[in-house]
Amino acid sequence: MNFLKSAVASAIAQGPPFPYTFGEKVEGHSSIWTLHNGTRREDGSNCSILSFDVAANKSRLALAKNALKKLRTMRHPGVIKILDTVETDSYIYIATERLVPLSWYIKLKSLSPETIKWGLYGIARTIKFINDEGSSIHGSLKVASIYTSESGEWKLGGFDVLSNVKDDEVIIYTYGSLVPDSGRYTPPELARNGWDAIKRSPHTAVDSYNFGTLIFEVFNGDFTGADQAGQTKGIPPSMHGSYKRLVNPSPKSRITVGAFLEQGRRSGSFFDSPLIKLTDGIDNLGVKSEEEREILLDDLDSVSDDFPEDFFKMKVLPELLKSVEFGGGGPKAFSIVMKISTKLSDEDFDAKVQPVVVRLFVNPDRAIRVCLLDNLPLMINRLPQKVVNDKMFPNIVSGFTDVAPLVREQTLKSVLVIIGKLSDRVINGELLKYLAKTANDEQPGIRTNTTIVLGKLAKNLGTSTRSKVLIAAFCRSLRDPFVHARNASLMALAATAEHFSDEDCATKILPAICPALIDKEKLIRDQAIKTMEVYMQKIRKAASNMPDTVLPPPETAQAAGPRMSTPQPSEASSWTGWAISSFTNKLSTAAGEIQPSSNDTASASVASPTPPSTRLAHVNSSASALHRQAVQSPPPPPLSRNSSTSAAEAYFKDPEPIDDGAAWGDMEDMNDDVDVWGEEPSGAVAPAPASKLAASKKSAASPSSFDDGSEPDFAGWLAAQSQKKIPGKSKPLPKGLTKSGGAAAKPATSKPVVAKKIDLKPKATDDDDGWGDGW
């Protein structure tokens, strides 16, 4: 092989330029030509190269030159396509489209009967053209002369002895016997009388007989000799009669290949098949009338899987794509495109189908848009994420706001198909905004499907927005008047329970589900019970892991000061247990006797076993601010201008030591003469002695409570509270005393206390992203 390649390269270097590179040799090719796979240097495209070595096959040089001449001049879709040729004294090269010998498929038996009939139909059309329009004889029709192109079509070659009967020099008469394996395929009359016998018979007789042997060979795998001609083994029954007339021993009794073709085209005959109809009309699909296009597309849609994939990929698919995009093929043509594309490789899909799909999403035709959305599941796995997210999705979302409900619904359903190809930013941003609109759609079916879509894509939502969006959407759907929308919401809540916190379940979701328990529809009531049970199980599990209480233990509460005790578990049987327990605890901790009045402080002090210092500390710690304000002693009242004034002044200037016990003992006598606030008793005309004034001052300074039997002066207390003594400043006189002597000051007027207005409106929560507002 290396020697052959080097020899070919050396020959090319010595001859004219040949812009093709030789590849590997194709084995199993029975011909005067050697077949190589090749590539075009300019663009690297595939091709095949037929090479003829003049030195090695000098006796058949005339056949090679005849083939080169006929291939250059013969133009027909059924003939192999010539790209370039080079002819020198040493070699002949013919560059063609990429070819594969048909014999490969025949030996492998990889062709279905329908594909074989389709191939024979193409060859029959080509032979008819050569015989009738070209007035020529092929003379070497057999499996070795036929190739398959990249589109799977059968292409005719082997033009070694192709001759026009009108020419002066007809090569077939002289060189017909030099064709390889000519003995097996030679008609009986030529085998007996030589190739000159062609002149005495119709010129179509040779090709008719060879077409008959070709039919036997493609259906059975091999043709060994003339004794097999006419045998119907493996041949479809509908073809038997016409096939036997092709191989009739009498050349004049044989039907032409053209006649065989016409018989096969009859309704119900062997060439009346969807695949053959397809090949006849696919090339001109864009210019056909609407009725003709519909008939052709119906035939395409009925194509079975055993038809040639290469033909659909290389011939049918490009024509259909052009028809959909420019020729009005419509949704039916695109559905066939999707059916064919399932058999394409990823590389072919990316090169042929993907660009057209992206462009079609810009097409405003609603029928095309719905067809695209319906077929998204067939192609989404082959579309790159960047293409879907950046190029397709911006055009898809226009369907959410379309006036046609069908477009909106199909767009909504497509979300579940493309969700895996969208970025988190798109999902939690633009997509959710459009879903919020469809959740409020006027069509109840679209609202229901929105709930279903949200439930299925819950796992794709961001954790920061998931619970807000889902709770808002599902709770709103629970109030939908459409029964199936409410049912979808309950089912979605049950399916997405894992995405909600325990607090949201207890405070937001369960309260929203409860009204559905008494829904007018039994379907909703039953589903509400099932959904409620899902959340109750979750709440029970969460509650079982919570502590019994978060309050501090009772010992800590007692140490802080007297307070009501917390009900104990044993007291939980009665709702009044905590109150009774608190009351008995107070009694058990109390010591000493109840004091009858504040004036008996001295006797209470003697009776109490508690030391005075401890008792005083307890009293001070338990007295309220109002109580302390009430028992503070006011300044001495103004004295009348009489003889007692000098005695009082002397007392305050130079007080004598006072015996505490004597002072407390004189309390009763003092009460009989002078009121503690300094006012004289009724009927008294003389002021109190200085000793009693001192005792009165002492008694007023006592921390004992004071009650004059009148209503509490809260207004005066509030005014006194606002005039507390400030360091460095003199304290104002108490209420009722004036500097002018004896006359009481005017009562202080206090403004009425206005009750503070409590705003019961709930505070606006700080919604992070505003999610939930649209729901």
Side-chain angles (χ1 to χ4, degrees):
M1 178 62 69
N2 293 333
F3 172 77
L4 178 62
K5 289 182 178 180
S6 61
V8 170
S10 177
I12 293 174
Q14 296 175 3
F18 189 65
Y20 297 89
T21 302
F22 280 79
E24 61 184 0
K25 178 183 177 182
V26 178
E27 302 293 341
H29 180 243
S30 177
S31 172
I32 65 173
W33 299 90
T34 302
L35 181 63
H36 295 266
N37 291 329
T39 56
R40 187 176 182 179
R41 294 196 187 112
E42 182 179 356
D43 55 7
S45 58
N46 293 331
C47 68
S48 291
I49 301 174
L50 294 170
S51 64
F52 180 81
D53 187 354
V54 175
N57 297 281
K58 187 172 289 188
S59 61
R60 294 174 175 174
L61 179 59
L63 300 179
K65 289 185 175 183
N66 184 70
L68 177 62
K69 176 183 176 182
K70 297 300 182 182
L71 284 174
R72 282 175 174 172
T73 57
M74 182 82 60
R75 290 290 182 266
H76 189 271
V79 177
I80 58 177
K81 183 180 179 180
I82 302 299
L83 302 179
D84 201 354
T85 62
V86 171
E87 181 180 4
T88 66
D89 294 338
S90 302
Y91 59 83
I92 300 174
Y93 296 145
I94 304 175
T96 69
E97 58 183 320
R98 176 59 65 90
L99 302 174
V100 176
L102 178 63
S103 58
W104 280 23
Y105 299 102
I106 299 299
K107 291 178 181 178
L108 296 174
K109 297 182 179 181
S110 60
L111 301 177
S112 66
E114 289 298 325
T115 302
I116 291 176
K117 287 192 291 184
W118 169 63
L120 288 174
Y121 174 80
I123 297 299
R125 291 174 60 191
T126 306
I127 293 297
K128 178 181 181 299
F129 173 79
I130 292 174
N131 291 160
D132 297 345
E133 283 77 5
S135 301
S136 302
I137 304 172
H138 185 278
S140 182
L141 187 57
K142 53 188 176 183
V143 169
S145 300
I146 300 173
Y147 305 86
T148 61
S149 65
E150 288 185 303
S151 62
E153 296 174 279
W154 291 14
K155 297 298 183 78
L156 183 61
F159 287 177
D160 304 336
V161 291
L162 179 65
S163 305
N164 189 328
V165 294
K166 296 180 181 180
D167 290 342
D168 295 334
E169 295 182 3
V170 180
I171 193 174
I172 192 172
Y173 301 152
T174 308
Y175 296 97
S177 59
L178 296 179
V179 176
D181 296 329
S182 62
R184 283 193 292 163
Y185 301 98
T186 302
E189 68 274 13
L190 300 184
R192 292 191 302 267
N193 304 318
W195 288 84
D196 286 340
I198 297 176
K199 300 176 183 178
R200 297 185 292 271
S201 303
H203 73 280
T204 60
V206 175
D207 289 339
S208 295
Y209 180 87
N210 287 150
F211 192 81
T213 60
L214 175 66
I215 293 174
F216 182 87
E217 191 170 14
V218 295
F219 279 111
N220 294 282
D222 194 14
F223 180 79
T224 57
D227 56 336
Q228 290 182 327
Q231 295 183 9
T232 58
K233 176 184 177 182
I235 300 174
S238 60
M239 200 180 288
H240 285 175
S242 299
Y243 158 70
K244 287 181 179 180
R245 294 183 65 184
L246 284 173
V247 293
N248 192 298
S250 173
K252 295 183 180 181
S253 300
R254 297 171 192 156
I255 61 172
T256 64
V257 175
F260 178 83
L261 183 64
E262 291 299 325
Q263 293 177 5
R265 282 178 170 174
R266 294 172 184 172
S267 179
S269 188
F270 47 86
F271 283 156
D272 184 20
S273 68
L275 181 59
I276 292 175
K277 291 179 180 178
L278 176 93
T279 58
D280 285 343
I282 194 64
D283 291 334
N284 301 314
L285 180 62
V287 297
K288 289 184 178 294
S289 66
E290 186 175 352
E291 183 178 357
E292 292 174 337
R293 189 187 304 117
E294 287 294 323
I295 294 174
L296 179 61
L297 293 177
D298 288 339
D299 292 338
L300 277 170
D301 201 23
S302 64
V303 170
S304 59
D305 293 336
D306 59 350
F307 288 159
E309 298 179 10
D310 292 336
F311 177 73
F312 280 93
K313 179 178 72 174
M314 301 300 297
K315 296 289 289 186
V316 178
L317 183 61
E319 292 296 328
L320 288 175
L321 288 173
K322 287 189 293 185
S323 176
V324 171
E325 192 170 6
F326 308 110
K332 181 177 287 187
F334 186 79
S335 63
I336 300 174
V337 168
M338 288 293 98
K339 186 175 181 180
I340 297 173
S341 66
T342 57
K343 301 179 181 181
L344 298 179
S345 64
D346 292 340
E347 294 76 10
D348 290 335
F349 183 88
D350 293 343
K352 300 177 183 296
V353 180
Q354 177 184 306
V356 178
V357 169
V358 174
R359 290 195 298 268
L360 285 176
F361 269 106
V362 186
N363 194 321
D365 189 348
R366 289 192 176 96
I368 291 293
R369 172 61 63 86
V370 172
C371 184
L372 285 169
L373 297 175
D374 286 340
N375 287 278
L376 266 180
L378 298 177
M379 56 181 171
I380 191 63
N381 292 332
R382 291 186 167 191
L383 295 172
Q385 181 177 4
K386 187 173 181 60
V387 171
V388 177
N389 191 79
D390 298 344
K391 297 182 179 179
M392 292 175 56
F393 182 77
N395 296 315
I396 290 175
V397 294
S398 63
F400 284 114
T401 56
D402 196 272
V403 295
L406 178 61
V407 177
R408 297 200 303 272
E409 185 171 8
Q410 292 302 115
T411 305
L412 179 62
K413 291 179 180 179
S414 69
V415 170
L416 296 177
V417 179
I418 66 174
I419 191 67
K421 300 285 186 176
L422 301 179
S423 65
D424 293 339
R425 180 184 59 82
V426 170
I427 294 173
N428 295 283
E430 190 174 0
L431 177 60
L432 284 183
K433 292 178 182 178
Y434 283 105
L435 292 181
K437 293 181 180 179
T438 57
N440 298 311
D441 198 273
E442 61 182 5
Q443 296 293 326
I446 295 178
R447 297 197 303 268
T448 304
N449 286 334
T450 301
T451 302
I452 295 172
V453 168
L454 282 170
K456 290 188 175 182
L457 60 83
K459 60 180 179 296
N460 300 101
L461 299 179
T463 55
S464 61
T465 60
R466 180 189 296 145
S467 61
K468 295 181 191 175
V469 172
L470 296 184
I471 291 175
F474 295 160
C475 291
R476 184 195 180 284
S477 184
L478 282 172
R479 302 187 299 271
D480 198 294
F482 188 52
V483 60
H484 296 292
R486 300 198 299 276
N487 188 53
S489 179
L490 290 169
M491 297 178 70
L493 281 170
T496 58
E498 60 180 319
H499 299 301
F500 304 118
S501 66
D502 299 333
E503 183 178 358
D504 286 342
C505 293
T507 61
K508 296 180 181 179
I509 297 178
L510 284 177
I513 296 175
C514 287
L517 295 172
I518 55 172
D519 195 275
K520 294 181 180 179
E521 299 292 335
K522 186 177 184 299
L523 172 68
I524 304 302
R525 295 194 299 271
D526 293 344
Q527 185 59 46
I529 292 174
K530 296 177 183 178
T531 304
M532 180 72 77
E533 184 58 31
V534 172
Y535 282 90
M536 286 304 299
Q537 290 179 3
K538 184 173 182 179
I539 294 299
R540 291 190 193 102
K541 183 178 179 181
S544 64
N545 297 325
M546 296 176 66
D548 294 342
T549 180
V550 295
L551 298 177
E555 294 78 7
T556 305
Q558 288 293 340
R563 54 166 293 172
M564 282 188 171
S565 62
T566 303
Q568 301 300 319
S570 61
E571 299 166 357
S573 59
S574 172
W575 68 274
T576 58
W578 65 271
I580 297 173
S581 172
S582 175
F583 177 68
T584 55
N585 288 340
K586 291 284 187 178
L587 291 178
S588 63
T589 57
E593 299 178 0
I594 300 176
Q595 306 300 322
S597 67
S598 59
N599 294 333
D600 296 337
T601 308
S603 60
S605 302
V606 176
S608 175
T610 307
S613 60
T614 306
R615 183 175 67 253
L616 183 58
H618 176 71
V619 172
N620 291 335
S621 63
S622 62
S624 66
L626 181 60
H627 179 253
R628 289 193 300 270
Q629 179 68 21
V631 299
Q632 286 180 356
S633 175
L639 299 178
S640 60
R641 298 179 182 275
N642 53 28
S643 59
S644 300
T645 303
S646 60
E649 291 175 353
Y651 171 77
F652 284 110
K653 289 179 180 179
D654 189 14
E656 297 178 359
I658 300 175
D659 180 68
D660 290 340
W664 288 109
D666 294 339
M667 182 68 75
E668 184 177 355
D669 297 334
M670 185 184 72
N671 289 340
D672 292 339
D673 299 331
V674 183
D675 190 270
V676 294
W677 291 110
E679 296 178 334
E680 296 181 1
S682 61
V685 295
S691 61
K692 288 195 175 185
L693 286 174
S696 176
K697 180 180 179 181
K698 188 77 173 180
S699 176
S702 171
S704 301
S705 62
F706 171 76
D707 187 7
D708 61 353
S710 61
E711 291 294 328
D713 184 11
F714 284 106
W717 177 79
L718 288 172
Q721 286 293 98
S722 64
Q723 295 178 0
K724 287 185 179 180
K725 183 177 179 181
I726 301 175
K729 295 185 179 181
S730 61
K731 183 176 181 182
L733 292 177
K735 179 183 176 182
L737 298 181
T738 61
K739 294 182 180 180
S740 60
K746 292 182 180 181
T749 58
S750 60
K751 294 182 181 180
V753 180
V754 181
K756 184 179 180 182
K757 185 177 180 181
I758 301 176
D759 188 6
L760 299 179
K761 184 179 180 181
K763 294 182 179 180
T765 57
D766 185 13
D767 199 354
D768 296 341
D769 299 319
W771 290 117
D773 295 343
W775 306 96

